[in-house]
Amino acid sequence: MQHVQEIPVKNLHHKSVQSVITQFAAIHLLTNREAEIIGLIALHGYSNKEIADHCNISEKTVKVHIDKIMDKVGTRSMRKLLAAIISNAV
């Protein structure tokens, strides 16, 4: 079983988490909209519908953006995407 490193989440500030997402987006060549979407997922846990409402786009468009993000990152799993963002932070 792989050892899981504990990360003190209470010490993370919104601003530092946003900078991690910005850095992650730059590494993976994400567009501004794609970076915004992963931020809404990672920081707020938004559903596709909530993202669509927040960004004033359709749910189908959200799904297209998420598919493009997954392709650029090289994963098909939201959990692995979030793990990649966290790994980038440590």
Side-chain angles (χ1 to χ4, degrees):
M1 186 167 160
Q2 188 176 5
H3 176 70
V4 177
Q5 179 184 0
E6 287 189 35
I7 300 171
V9 176
K10 65 183 176 186
N11 292 336
L12 293 176
H13 299 293
H14 177 77
K15 193 173 195 178
S16 63
V17 173
Q18 189 60 50
S19 68
V20 167
I21 291 169
T22 301
Q23 181 182 18
F24 181 84
I27 290 167
H28 294 284
L29 305 175
L30 302 183
T31 66
N32 289 339
R33 178 66 89 181
E34 291 165 350
E36 178 183 16
I37 288 171
I38 62 167
L40 293 171
I41 294 167
L43 291 172
H44 304 288
Y46 278 14
S47 67
N48 288 357
K49 180 171 180 5
E50 289 170 321
I51 294 167
D53 292 344
H54 180 86
C55 297
N56 295 315
I57 58 178
S58 72
E59 281 187 72
K60 182 174 171 99
T61 302
V62 171
K63 290 176 185 177
V64 168
H65 282 303
I66 291 173
D67 283 343
K68 287 181 179 181
I69 293 166
M70 298 284 195
D71 287 344
K72 290 178 180 181
V73 175
T75 187
R76 297 304 318 158
S77 161
M78 185 58 68
R79 288 181 179 158
K80 289 192 182 206
L81 174 63
L82 293 173
I85 294 167
I86 292 168
S87 293
N88 192 66
V90 289

